[in-house]
Amino acid sequence: MESNIKRKELNVSAIENGTVIDHISQGKVLQVVKILGLESFEDQIYLGANLESKKFGKKGIIKVSNRFFQEDDINRIALVSPTATIIEIRDYDIIKKFNVQVPEKVAGIVKCINPKCVTNNQKIPTKFEVYTIDDRLRLKCHYCEKFTNQENFEFNQG
Ligand SMILES: [Zn+2]
């Protein structure tokens, strides 16, 4: 009986193959879903929000079946939630676990806030240097040198 209950819990909480994005900053789960283009993903996805976390107070979690993320997507996650942890799972085993790292430079992921910027008027991918000022991320445009602040990040779909 007891093992039945355990198995049930396992079915709900564990994925066989895929990626767990853990320690997502409070309130950012749906934004992470959006920037990863998971709204139209057809395999299983579990979302959790407002979960207790010893490290961060409250956190969110996303579990995505049969999907592994490349560097561009990991960088997107880092820009939305620098605290996130990525856990890759195969056959129910953790094969890789790492914290996302805010990159020093980002290219082609976020739009420049300046409507007059060349990247908003010609087919030139954006390019930024990443600054952290007072715990907030700011991106300095390589072309127009304007800053795009965290609350204004508009992501290009990968
Ligand atoms: Zn610009």
Side-chain angles (χ1 to χ4, degrees), residues 37-147:
L38 294 174
E39 287 156 316
S40 56
F41 189 64
E42 290 184 346
D43 217 320
Q44 292 180 333
I45 302 178
Y46 302 101
L47 304 181
N50 303 323
L51 305 170
E52 298 298 329
S53 161
K54 283 196 181 113
K55 255 198 210 158
F56 303 110
K58 294 229 166 127
K59 66 164 187 175
I61 193 166
I62 302 173
K63 303 181 185 188
V64 191
S65 284
N66 300 312
R67 177 83 192 265
F68 298 91
F69 297 100
Q70 304 303 317
E71 196 187 350
D72 261 11
D73 279 334
I74 306 283
N75 285 342
R76 285 185 172 86
I77 297 167
L79 291 176
V80 172
S81 173
T83 57
T85 306
I86 308 292
I87 303 159
E88 293 186 1
I89 294 170
R90 291 194 198 264
D91 293 328
Y92 295 110
D93 278 335
I94 293 173
I95 54 158
K96 209 169 159 192
K97 183 174 179 175
F98 58 95
N99 298 322
V100 299
Q101 287 204 326
V102 176
E104 286 175 17
K105 292 182 176 177
V106 292
I109 293 179
V110 180
K111 289 179 185 163
C112 180
I113 196 166
N114 175 12
K116 292 186 176 150
C117 181
V118 67
T119 61
N120 285 319
N121 294 286
Q122 294 180 34
K123 279 207 160 182
I124 297 173
T126 58
K127 218 155 94 176
F128 300 95
E129 276 178 59
V130 182
Y131 291 81
T132 308
I133 299 162
D134 296 334
D135 261 354
R136 306 177 73 80
L137 295 178
R138 303 183 79 193
L139 301 181
K140 186 182 179 190
C141 180
H142 172 79
Y143 297 99
C144 71
E145 301 195 325
K146 290 260 188 304
F147 280 95

